Amino acid sequence: DAKTTQPPSMDCAEGRAANLPCNHSTISGNEYVYWYRQIHSQGPQYIIHGLKNNETNEMASLIITEDRKSSTLILPHATLRDTAVYYCIVLTSDKLIFGTGTRLQVFP
Amino acid sequence: DVKVTQSSRYLVKRTGEKVFLECVQDMDHENMFWYRQDPGLGLRLIYFSYDVKMKEKGDIPEGYSVSREKKERFSLILESASTNQTSMYLCASSLVRDYNEQFFGPGTRLTVL
């Protein structure tokens, strides 16, 4: 199964871009990369997903390297409400396998 | 907006009790999932269902069973609760089998004494 590696924690100043990295060096050609986040005391929330091309939606941008071995989630203007644990997931066998994620702390 | 609701936010039960955790979604989603979340272990899939009366084991099904009699409702059952089942339980739903934008409920924090 493809696995992901993320830093355990990151800080970001409010209003600045938050760039959250993820390594998935064993990803297969047809496996998607998904990002979710979990704000304290809530269930996880879907953010974005992609296969090869970069993706953008109202929440974030996803940049996937050409070799697909890593990706970066970008929150262009982080706010205090973006403080959460961010999970990078490689979809395997129709199942989302959550790791321990990156705890992003946005500070004023 | 999709809404996934869970019957309780907090639940305290005694060892050996039978426990029912209920989950309801209001957007006609086909797929429903039960996870548990423990510190340092992330979310782990217990059971999932792609259709009414259909269930499949996830990664940690031991000690649990599920029921899906109606499309909107997915129940997790602990036949005889044990202290190692103390955890946060999260229910999720998604629209179709290959589309994994899952919508999660708020979770039920279960404590087994």
Side-chain angles (χ1 to χ4, degrees):
Chain A
D1 289 355
K3 299 253 189 309
T4 62
T5 304
Q6 298 177 255
S9 63
M10 293 181 64
D11 290 338
C12 179
E14 190 177 18
R16 303 296 294 267
N19 298 293
L20 293 95
C22 179
N23 287 325
H24 31 78
S25 57
T26 59
I27 194 169
S28 298
N30 60 350
E31 291 177 326
Y32 282 78
V33 178
Y34 278 73
W35 283 83
Y36 278 73
R37 73 179 182 183
Q38 188 172 21
I39 295 169
H40 183 61
S41 297
Q42 297 182 22
Q45 175 190 23
Y46 166 83
I47 302 173
I48 199 167
H49 73 281
L51 182 63
K52 294 180 184 177
N53 301 319
N54 299 337
E55 302 287 344
T56 295
N57 63 21
E58 66 277 3
M59 289 183 69
S61 295
L62 174 61
I63 309 296
I64 302 174
T65 58
E66 194 168 341
D67 63 8
R68 302 208 331 117
K69 293 186 177 184
S70 65
S71 59
T72 301
L73 180 75
I74 301 171
L75 309 178
H77 306 287
T79 71
L80 299 178
R81 287 175 294 184
D82 292 322
T83 291
V85 177
Y86 287 77
Y87 298 97
C88 169
I89 301 161
V90 172
L91 182 63
T92 301
S93 302
D94 289 347
K95 288 193 287 187
L96 294 173
I97 300 175
F98 288 78
T100 52
T102 296
R103 183 171 297 278
L104 175 69
Q105 178 70 52
V106 180
F107 57 91
Chain B
D1 281 351
V2 173
K3 195 165 184 184
V4 180
T5 57
Q6 295 184 229
S7 49
S8 306
R9 284 304 305 268
Y10 300 93
L11 204 55
V12 179
K13 295 291 182 181
R14 297 206 175 273
T15 300
E17 280 193 80
K18 190 169 186 175
V19 181
F20 292 88
L21 302 181
E22 301 284 334
C23 175
V24 178
Q25 50 94 3
D26 66 359
M27 283 298 289
D28 204 33
H29 281 180
E30 294 178 16
N31 309 322
M32 297 189 75
F33 308 82
W34 274 106
Y35 295 85
R36 63 177 283 177
Q37 184 172 28
D38 301 287
L41 296 176
L43 276 81
R44 293 178 292 168
L45 181 63
I46 304 172
Y47 267 97
F48 57 105
S49 170
Y50 289 133
D51 203 350
V52 174
K53 296 193 186 295
M54 207 222 113
K55 61 184 178 184
E56 291 195 34
K57 293 179 180 179
D59 299 315
I60 52 163
E62 296 77 20
Y64 304 94
S65 62
V66 290
S67 172
R68 194 162 180 206
E69 295 296 318
K70 294 185 178 180
K71 190 174 186 178
E72 67 270 19
R73 188 179 299 268
F74 192 35
S75 303
L76 180 69
I77 303 155
L78 288 66
E79 293 288 341
S80 178
S82 63
T83 54
N84 63 13
Q85 292 178 310
T86 291
S87 187
M88 171 69 82
Y89 289 88
L90 289 154
C91 175
S93 71
S94 69
L95 184 57
V96 294
R97 178 170 186 144
D98 295 323
Y99 186 51
N100 279 279
E101 180 181 343
Q102 293 185 21
F103 294 83
F104 282 81
T108 295
R109 183 164 294 282
L110 172 67
T111 302
V112 182
L113 302 176

